Amino acid sequence: MDVIPKISPLNWAQGDILFSTDDYAEEIYFISIGEITTRAADGSTISVYREGDTLGLLEAIYDVRRIGTAICSKNTQLFSLDRTTYLQMLQDYPQLLSEVKQQVDKRIKEVKPFVEDATILNRSIYEVMQDYQRKINKIKKIIEQLQKSEDSNDIIDTDKNQLQIFLQTNTQLADIMNLQRESNSRETVMFDNAKTMNNLIDQLADLWQKQLIEKIDQMHTETTYMIQAVQDRVEYYQKATKKFSNLKNDLTKQKENIQSMTKL
């Protein structure tokens, strides 16, 4: 009941990739309907998960990156729970550890052949949880010291140094923070790229508008020439018609003159 509000439902189609090898393990997944297969880099099958199975448990607890790529073999419905909440749940309800241990031990046997350095998986789940609790306690202590410090820069600097040392000795957490900084840097680059793209689009729009105006002007000029040519042609025909009419009148008069001369 404590965890249910923090669970997120997900729907994935057949062929979708849930996560890839070396991704950070930030969530644990509970399969409701469907099937998910984890595959190694060479395409070989590591594990198959079906209804009722838990996926991503080993990586989340042992704080290692994803071992294998998870592909939906069928249309799949599942629920996700973030790693921090799950580990806190194990701290609050230690009676669950024995059940989780069985799942983790099974998973270790499956993945060991696909892990280059499997020494990190040799620890028991109890040692892992104790280590996690020590890390949490140490972080809490540093935070408490920072909160208690009033305006003493020396104390703050000291605590910052302790935090830095802690990060250096816990590479996974340091990797996450570096990833966050890298993500922020990428967001800045993406923002700059977006501004550049917008400028290029504006320039393209201006160029297109200019070309369009030039094209319209050209069409207007050509149309004007065509209209003028038609008008000139009409005027020419009008003159020709008038000339033909005068010629006809002249011929009629000459015919009348000839008839008069014939009578004489």
Side-chain angles (χ1 to χ4, degrees):
M1 294 300 295
D2 291 340
V3 173
I4 285 176
K6 301 176 182 179
I7 289 179
S8 301
L10 301 170
N11 290 287
W12 294 78
Q14 181 177 359
D16 284 348
I17 296 177
L18 185 61
F19 57 75
S20 301
T21 302
D22 288 336
D23 283 353
Y24 282 97
E26 297 298 333
E27 295 89 17
I28 294 170
Y29 301 98
F30 307 96
I31 301 178
S32 174
I33 298 173
E35 181 179 283
I36 294 178
T37 302
T38 55
R39 299 189 183 280
D42 60 2
S44 57
T45 299
I46 301 176
S47 306
V48 178
Y49 298 85
R50 299 181 176 88
E51 298 176 12
D53 289 339
T54 303
L55 174 62
L57 188 61
L58 172 65
E59 294 95 331
I61 291 180
Y62 277 75
D63 196 16
V64 295
R65 299 196 183 192
R66 297 294 187 189
I67 303 171
T69 297
I71 305 172
C72 295
S73 310
K74 303 176 181 178
N75 292 342
T76 303
Q77 296 178 5
L78 42 82
F79 298 92
S80 69
L81 180 65
D82 69 273
R83 171 179 179 268
T84 304
T85 302
Y86 188 83
L87 292 178
Q88 187 59 51
M89 180 185 71
L90 293 182
Q91 291 291 325
D92 296 337
Y93 303 98
Q95 65 270 24
L96 293 176
L97 270 178
S98 58
E99 180 181 343
V100 173
K101 181 179 182 299
Q102 294 178 4
Q103 298 183 49
V104 171
D105 289 345
K106 177 184 175 183
R107 176 67 172 159
I108 288 175
K109 291 179 181 178
E110 292 174 345
V111 304
K112 266 192 174 182
F114 303 93
V115 179
E116 292 183 5
D117 183 9
T119 54
I120 192 172
L121 303 178
N122 291 333
R123 296 176 298 163
S124 71
I125 187 172
Y126 302 103
E127 292 174 334
V128 173
M129 293 306 300
Q130 288 175 357
D131 183 51
Y132 171 75
Q133 187 59 54
R134 283 193 294 269
K135 291 179 180 179
I136 295 299
N137 291 339
K138 195 163 188 177
I139 292 175
K140 286 181 177 178
K141 184 177 179 181
I142 293 174
I143 292 175
E144 287 174 0
Q145 290 176 347
L146 289 171
Q147 289 174 341
K148 289 179 181 178
S149 62
E150 298 178 350
D151 291 324
S152 174
N153 292 329
D154 293 338
I155 295 177
I156 293 176
D157 289 340
T158 301
D159 290 335
K160 284 182 178 179
N161 291 334
Q162 291 180 9
L163 183 60
Q164 187 64 34
I165 293 172
F166 173 75
L167 292 177
Q168 290 174 355
T169 56
N170 294 271
T171 56
Q172 292 292 333
L173 186 56
D175 286 344
I176 293 174
M177 296 188 71
N178 289 333
L179 186 65
Q180 181 63 41
R181 285 193 291 268
E182 183 180 345
S183 175
N184 293 337
S185 175
R186 288 179 179 175
E187 287 178 3
T188 302
V189 173
M190 288 174 64
F191 179 74
D192 292 339
N193 288 341
K195 287 174 61 179
T196 303
M197 183 63 69
N198 286 334
N199 291 334
L200 289 174
I201 291 174
D202 290 340
Q203 293 175 14
L204 183 61
D206 292 340
L207 180 61
W208 180 80
Q209 185 177 14
K210 181 179 178 182
Q211 290 179 346
L212 182 61
I213 291 173
E214 291 177 353
K215 187 67 175 177
I216 292 174
D217 288 341
Q218 182 182 354
M219 291 175 64
H220 180 267
T221 302
E222 292 175 354
T223 304
T224 303
Y225 288 153
M226 290 175 65
I227 293 173
Q228 186 63 46
V230 171
Q231 289 176 345
D232 291 344
R233 183 63 60 182
V234 169
E235 186 177 351
Y236 170 79
Y237 282 127
Q238 287 176 344
K239 290 180 179 178
T241 301
K242 186 177 181 180
K243 193 172 182 180
F244 177 76
S245 178
N246 293 335
L247 181 60
K248 182 179 179 182
N249 291 335
D250 291 342
L251 290 173
T252 301
K253 288 180 181 180
Q254 289 180 14
K255 180 179 179 182
E256 291 175 353
N257 292 333
I258 292 172
Q259 288 177 348
S260 298
M261 291 175 64
T262 302
K263 288 180 180 179
L264 291 174

